[in-house]
Amino acid sequence: MSMELCVLGPLTGRSFAIAGKPNLLLLRPTTLPLLRLSLPLSLPQFSSSSSSSRLTSPSKFTSLSLSRCNLKLRIQIHIIILFSVVFAAQESNLSVSNESETSEWVMQDFYTLRKDVEIASARVEEIRDSAGLTQLEQEIANLESKATDTSFWDDRVKAQETLSSLNDLKDRMRLLSEFKSMVEDAETIVKLTEEMDSTDVSLLEEAMGIIKELNKSLDRFELTQLLSGPYDKEGAVVYITAGAGGTDAQDWADMLLRMYMRWGEKQRYKIKVVEMSNGEEAGIKSATLEIEGRYAYGYISGEKGTHRIVRQSPFNSKGLRQTSFSGVEVMPLLPEEAVGIEIPEEDLDISFTRAGGKGGQNVNKVETAVRITHIPTGVAVRCTEERSQLANKTRALIRLKAKLLVIAEEQRATEIKEIRGDAVKAEWGQQIRNYVFHPYKLVKDVRTGHETSDITSVMDGDLDPFIKAYLKHKYTLAMASAATN
Amino acid sequence: MIRIFPSLRFTPLLSAAKPFCSSSPTREPQQYASCVEAKTAPVPNSLSITPKTPLFLRTPSHATSLSEVWKWHDWAKDLASSVEESSKNSEDSLDPVILHRELKWLIEDSIIDDPLVILHRSEIADGGEKNVKLRASLAELYDLWRQRIEKRRPFQYVVGCEHWRDLVLCVEEGVLIPRPETELIVEMVEELVTSDEQYKKGCWADLGTGSGAIAIGIAKVLGSHGRVIATDLSPVAIAVAGHNVHRYGLQGMVELREGSWFEPLKDLEGQLVGLVSNPPYIPSDDIPGLQAEVGRHEPKLALDGGFDGTDSLLHICHGASRMLKCGGFFVFETNGEKQSKMIVDYMMTNDLKDYFSDLKIVSDFAGINRFVTGFRL
């Protein structure tokens, strides 16, 4: 214990520091945030234990920690943190002592922060409660014991599945404890600040950062709760086609492509334009975008439908107001082996694009596009990006299957055979969102009513509010229909 | 039936098993030269020929600043887009849509980093300063793309490879670029050998193998038991096919023999279980009007089928009767429509009429009656 007491030495000198012994400042650690970050798990203890007791002096506080904690290491950590806090507080006292106005602002910020922390804390509680922690732990243990079984790898596909669901559960668990430690870190800072009777701006800023980050993660976590569809976890294939109307519509399709690419970049997904057909003057006739990453399909699947733009045409010398449309189709990006359905050969109409003429040795064009139509439903896909015909056919078939699976799921059909072809057409064509650039600025989702006038941000890929609104809308609809059934 | 008479003129010549190319020296001065060389020199020339390394297999030793690559890409895109006005309404014209696709593939083949850094600049905030590793110097890339558009050099020769079925085959001038239609030959063989295991064990032959595409495709379909012998008259083809066989580790299964049609197969008379070929079948009169990429750059030896295009096909039909064992399968590619019908008619009459059964015409994916298939009785 003597060692800790030694360290405590400078702490007792706090009164000197407040009184203004500037020479102590030389010792001020500059690596404060680093200290916190490396030790988040050691902190919960005092934040929960001392919530009711207002401590008057740091040495008392330390002794409280000492009494509760037997581990030397932990004590040291606490001391170091207090130590740093004191020195940091010192500095802020010195620098703002003559500017009461600023300090008032700081106090206001502090109260806001305290409130934010309280809200976040309640939110974390709630989420952790509803997540069923014990059940989660049980499931993880079950799967782990399965994975250690000697016969585990006999069925590779199944083993792969088990491992991936184990990883999912572990990720969930990790996130849940991360939320807890984050909110506790913020709580600690609040508490320390209260106990210090002084404020350290950088520390408060840090707490604010934590809360902001935490709220984002919580939003995301809640959103994934809404993503429980069988393919929601997969990557996505987004197929954009310009509607009728020439260059204006083709330019609009290009704008949508850019919007989704920006969105994907913001989500840190891996994005690839696998196919793109340029318009004659500007824009694109069509493009296929592959987005790899967890839950990409779940988020973006709601973008499927017709997108309508109203603006002054940049391609028209008179600048007339122009309405154009573009279609967006979204399919899950499924690995080949995951698409387990078989489609009878006679149900498929496979056509190959060829340059025409005599073909064979007479012609050499790298046109290897393949188009496959599922005859019973009329669902069709086209694949041009691969360099050989066979590769295009294989890829097109995977996409067709993915598309059929999604439609089957939407129609609650248990088999591909049950898909109603007539309903398919109507569904893919539904208008879902309006983007008005002129005479006023407004993006409005037809389904959810969600709207914003910040059209620039939306076109820059800021789609999350729309996506979230739609997912909630879908969820509510599903709940309602489940209730009536 | 009428069509048979002109081809009858060739019959004595063909039954003498003379290689076609020696019968038309004037039309093929260049190819003939190589053919004569092959004949006179007992040591196969293919040994001394080193196939070119395709772009995608080269060492990425050219560090280039990204902004320079972007500049090249802009230039190449503009050049591709500009072809439209210059050659509209002509059947033999470049299509900007396809050229853009080719450009994307050229980038995929020549850059070691993610090709996206070139195609979608938005992903990199200030990437212009960054260096990327290229498999060809920027100067060469400028040159290659110019050759593609101005000289109409086939894209596959530009990058040195062709994606065919699930294979990536090296190709170069002097070797026919395998066509997508021909993929069907391998598919037909695959269908046959899955329904009847017998065909997996026997010996197959691919005549005029070129890049080795069909032979390699069939070898992969046959699995570990199969054996394919691929012949070609052109030493360049033999060298390139050998390289491709090697790349797929099929040396033990595909054997290459240099020579005209059946000549290198004398030891296998009556023993082949399968025989496939995509011989030259374009009528000589059509050669001058071919698409520029084909007519100006691909080997005439692999395209020109003589007066009505059937010289080599008829020769192979005769050979098939000798070489295939009972129940042996064959499939030949033809110029389509009239020609395939003519071959079938020819095989059902004359001295071949008792040799084959189940003669069928199979159409390609464009609906053209492209292939003739059948079995040796």
Side-chain angles (χ1 to χ4, degrees):
Chain A
M1 279 298 152
S2 62
M3 202 180 82
E4 280 79 24
L5 285 173
C6 263
V7 183
L8 273 169
L11 282 176
T12 53
R14 179 181 173 240
S15 50
F16 295 107
I18 297 292
K21 283 248 174 174
N23 56 330
L24 279 172
L25 278 175
L26 296 169
L27 297 166
R28 188 172 60 86
T30 48
T31 52
L32 187 60
L34 205 73
L35 272 171
R36 185 208 60 84
L37 279 175
S38 59
L39 311 161
L41 284 171
S42 61
L43 293 170
Q45 217 172 2
F46 66 45
S47 64
S48 53
S49 64
S50 62
S51 54
S52 54
S53 59
R54 297 278 297 176
L55 294 162
T56 47
S57 91
S59 47
K60 229 186 189 173
F61 175 74
T62 314
S63 62
L64 177 75
S65 295
L66 284 169
S67 68
R68 286 177 167 270
C69 167
N70 295 322
L71 286 168
K72 269 189 177 184
L73 183 71
R74 283 205 175 169
I75 299 164
Q76 274 179 321
I77 289 161
H78 285 192
I79 291 166
I80 291 165
I81 287 174
L82 281 173
F83 184 73
S84 344
V85 168
V86 169
F87 284 113
Q90 237 178 292
E91 186 214 30
S92 69
N93 270 1
L94 286 172
S95 57
V96 300
S97 55
N98 296 329
E99 297 168 43
S100 55
E101 216 173 292
T102 318
S103 99
E104 236 169 72
W105 275 112
V106 171
M107 282 320 282
Q108 280 210 345
D109 278 354
F110 172 72
Y111 292 132
T112 324
L113 172 71
R114 196 168 61 183
K115 194 151 192 307
D116 286 350
V117 172
E118 275 165 19
I119 293 168
S121 171
R123 222 176 138 194
V124 169
E125 268 317 287
E126 198 185 311
I127 282 179
R128 283 173 61 89
D129 280 349
S130 65
L133 286 173
T134 38
Q135 202 193 335
L136 210 56
E137 271 165 10
Q138 188 61 46
E139 270 177 60
I140 290 176
N142 278 350
L143 290 178
E144 267 174 346
S145 77
K146 250 193 215 170
T148 51
D149 200 289
T150 42
S151 62
F152 180 65
W153 283 104
D154 292 356
D155 185 347
R156 282 191 73 88
V157 178
K158 215 164 165 203
Q160 244 0 306
E161 267 171 30
T162 311
L163 284 188
S164 105
S165 54
L166 180 62
N167 275 337
D168 284 348
L169 290 177
K170 278 185 171 169
D171 272 353
R172 229 173 126 83
M173 200 67 193
R174 188 182 49 79
L175 274 176
L176 286 168
S177 48
E178 217 174 84
F179 295 157
K180 192 167 178 217
S181 72
M182 277 171 99
V183 84
E184 281 166 355
D185 287 354
E187 279 171 339
T188 306
I189 293 174
V190 168
K191 232 141 253 150
L192 283 173
T193 311
E194 280 174 342
E195 281 147 13
M196 269 354 134
D197 297 324
S198 60
T199 40
D200 170 20
V201 179
S202 71
L203 207 55
L204 287 187
E205 269 171 8
E206 204 196 332
M208 281 178 213
I210 294 172
I211 290 298
K212 205 174 152 198
E213 202 54 42
L214 176 63
N215 278 330
K216 262 196 206 160
S217 307
L218 289 174
D219 283 348
R220 186 156 270 272
F221 188 83
E222 278 183 343
L223 210 51
T224 54
Q225 298 292 97
L226 301 173
L227 301 172
S228 51
Y231 311 110
D232 283 355
K233 225 179 284 172
E234 309 291 343
V237 182
V238 181
Y239 182 63
I240 302 168
T241 8
T247 308
D248 270 296
Q250 287 166 2
D251 184 52
W252 173 225
D254 200 10
M255 288 163 75
L256 284 176
L257 173 66
R258 184 179 167 278
M259 179 177 87
Y260 289 122
M261 284 176 72
R262 284 289 166 92
W263 174 80
E265 279 163 21
K266 281 186 189 173
Q267 316 296 315
R268 315 221 160 202
Y269 287 138
K270 209 176 146 204
I271 316 155
K272 207 161 115 191
V273 177
V274 289
E275 176 270 339
M276 191 158 101
S277 159
N278 289 313
E280 282 91 8
E281 258 182 78
I284 53 168
K285 286 177 186 156
S286 70
T288 308
L289 188 66
E290 274 186 11
I291 305 178
E292 272 177 65
R294 283 169 57 79
Y295 287 105
Y297 178 72
Y299 288 124
I300 209 170
S301 58
E303 293 297 301
K304 174 190 73 186
T306 302
H307 297 242
R308 173 174 172 262
I309 184 179
V310 181
R311 62 169 169 177
Q312 270 181 310
S313 169
F315 304 102
N316 182 318
S317 54
K318 287 175 197 152
L320 294 176
R321 209 168 87 186
Q322 175 94 31
T323 301
S324 312
F325 299 90
S326 279
V328 174
E329 271 184 47
V330 188
M331 287 161 263
L333 181 62
L334 297 175
E336 197 171 342
E337 61 277 9
V339 193
I341 52 164
E342 285 299 324
I343 302 173
E345 193 91 0
E346 63 267 23
D347 281 357
L348 296 175
D349 176 22
I350 305 179
S351 58
F352 301 86
T353 315
R354 264 303 260 166
K358 290 179 187 149
Q361 291 168 6
N362 298 278
V363 184
N364 171 22
K365 291 203 172 160
V366 292
E367 180 63 87
T368 56
V370 175
R371 184 186 164 86
I372 308 184
T373 310
H374 183 241
I375 301 163
T377 57
V379 172
V381 291
R382 187 164 179 270
C383 193
T384 59
E385 69 258 26
E386 296 291 339
R387 284 163 77 161
S388 90
Q389 202 132 43
L390 183 74
N392 268 329
K393 188 180 149 191
T394 311
R395 198 177 247 259
L397 202 56
I398 293 172
R399 277 204 196 137
L400 179 76
K401 285 176 178 177
K403 201 163 163 179
L404 288 171
L405 281 174
V406 172
I407 297 170
E409 199 237 327
E410 274 169 3
Q411 297 192 356
R412 290 161 203 246
T414 47
E415 274 184 84
I416 299 300
K417 269 191 279 180
E418 290 174 23
I419 293 178
R420 285 162 289 122
D422 53 330
V424 172
K425 260 199 186 127
E427 254 174 76
W428 290 106
Q430 194 198 5
Q431 187 180 316
I432 64 149
R433 200 175 295 147
N434 288 313
Y435 305 71
V436 182
F437 284 73
H438 181 82
Y440 50 91
K441 291 192 189 323
L442 183 73
V443 184
K444 181 163 182 164
D445 198 290
V446 179
R447 303 159 300 178
T448 60
H450 184 85
E451 59 176 60
T452 175
S453 56
D454 189 1
I455 201 162
T456 320
S457 295
V458 173
M459 295 317 294
D460 269 339
D462 202 355
L463 288 171
D464 279 346
F466 283 95
I467 288 172
K468 200 168 170 181
Y470 175 71
L471 287 174
K472 283 194 170 155
H473 169 75
K474 197 171 101 180
Y475 188 71
T476 323
L477 283 184
M479 288 294 117
S481 80
T484 50
N485 287 341
Chain B
M1 289 308 243
I2 299 163
R3 300 290 300 166
I4 290 165
F5 293 107
S7 42
L8 268 178
R9 290 178 301 155
F10 289 92
T11 317
L13 182 79
L14 293 165
S15 41
K18 266 195 180 173
F20 158 68
C21 79
S22 60
S23 71
S24 56
T26 44
R27 204 168 49 222
E28 303 284 346
Q30 244 186 332
Q31 301 300 338
Y32 180 62
S34 72
C35 161
V36 167
E37 235 175 325
K39 285 264 131 44
T40 50
V43 182
N45 285 3
S46 54
L47 286 180
S48 56
I49 296 169
T50 319
K52 287 182 193 156
T53 310
L55 205 50
F56 82 104
L57 288 178
R58 292 198 213 161
T59 350
S61 54
H62 305 268
T64 317
S65 85
L66 201 46
S67 55
E68 286 298 310
V69 183
W70 285 344
K71 216 187 276 172
W72 167 78
H73 185 229
D74 283 341
W75 167 83
K77 258 193 350 201
D78 286 349
L79 197 59
S81 305
S82 68
V83 300
E84 200 164 28
E85 296 85 40
S86 58
S87 57
K88 237 179 194 165
N89 299 328
S90 151
E91 225 178 67
D92 174 30
S93 63
L94 289 164
D95 177 350
V97 173
I98 291 176
L99 283 175
H100 282 124
R101 200 172 294 152
E102 290 179 359
L103 180 60
K104 190 180 147 210
W105 293 340
L106 175 60
I107 290 165
E108 278 174 12
D109 277 7
S110 38
I111 189 166
I112 184 157
D113 301 74
D114 194 347
L116 289 178
V117 302
I118 298 174
L119 298 168
H120 314 304
R121 298 167 196 196
S122 61
E123 294 210 346
I124 302 167
D126 57 345
E129 299 302 308
K130 205 186 136 195
N131 265 355
V132 286
K133 290 266 178 85
L134 298 179
R135 298 183 193 276
S137 70
L138 211 51
E140 191 181 354
L141 286 178
Y142 274 104
D143 190 41
L144 285 174
W145 193 243
R146 216 173 269 131
Q147 287 173 15
R148 172 71 194 99
I149 289 176
E150 287 164 13
K151 298 251 163 41
R152 302 287 300 269
R153 190 178 178 208
F155 173 73
Q156 298 91 335
Y157 288 159
V158 167
V159 291
C161 74
E162 163 72 336
H163 291 233
W164 192 82
R165 280 179 64 85
D166 52 349
L167 309 169
V168 182
L169 300 160
C170 302
V171 292
E172 63 181 71
E173 271 82 357
V175 176
L176 184 82
I177 298 159
R179 305 289 198 263
E181 285 93 338
T182 314
E183 291 186 9
L184 280 173
I185 291 185
V186 180
E187 246 155 80
M188 284 183 252
V189 173
E190 187 172 21
E191 212 169 287
L192 177 76
V193 300
T194 23
S195 65
D196 190 343
E197 290 278 318
Q198 287 293 325
Y199 291 96
K200 273 195 181 176
K201 290 169 197 141
C203 182
W204 287 72
D206 172 19
L207 303 181
T209 193
S211 63
I214 307 176
I216 292 169
I218 289 178
K220 288 188 79 180
V221 161
L222 293 180
S224 51
H225 313 290
R227 183 171 172 222
V228 185
I229 296 170
T231 74
D232 207 294
L233 182 60
S234 150
V236 182
I238 290 290
V240 169
H243 180 60
N244 284 322
V245 167
H246 194 84
R247 272 196 4 99
Y248 284 95
L250 295 169
Q251 300 94 309
M253 293 182 64
V254 181
E255 188 192 327
L256 290 157
R257 296 187 183 180
E258 190 176 328
S260 173
W261 305 130
F262 297 99
E263 268 182 15
L265 298 176
K266 282 183 180 141
D267 56 320
L268 289 162
E269 216 156 276
Q271 291 176 46
L272 296 177
V273 74
L275 180 65
V276 295
S277 184
N278 175 20
Y281 54 61
I282 299 176
S284 300
D285 285 350
D286 290 358
I287 298 282
L290 286 174
Q291 181 197 339
E293 280 80 359
V294 182
R296 282 192 226 160
H297 297 273
E298 292 198 273
K300 296 218 170 31
L301 181 68
L303 299 169
D304 193 334
F307 170 69
D308 61 359
T310 57
D311 289 6
S312 308
L313 276 166
L314 293 177
H315 174 65
I316 293 170
C317 288
H318 279 274
S321 66
R322 280 199 325 275
M323 302 303 294
L324 284 172
K325 66 186 211 181
C326 288
F329 171 79
F330 73 86
V331 47
F332 307 137
E333 188 172 320
T334 75
N335 204 26
E337 308 303 339
K338 279 191 293 186
Q339 203 180 71
S340 56
K341 181 146 192 316
M342 212 179 112
I343 298 296
V344 170
D345 286 348
Y346 185 80
M347 290 178 99
M348 288 199 297
T349 50
N350 305 308
D351 43 343
L352 286 179
K353 67 174 182 286
D354 298 326
Y355 284 103
F356 300 103
S357 70
D358 295 308
L359 292 177
K360 254 200 296 193
I361 292 174
V362 179
S363 59
D364 63 18
F365 45 73
I368 296 172
N369 292 329
R370 179 70 57 198
F371 307 97
V372 176
T373 73
F375 294 86
R376 174 77 162 80
L377 272 171

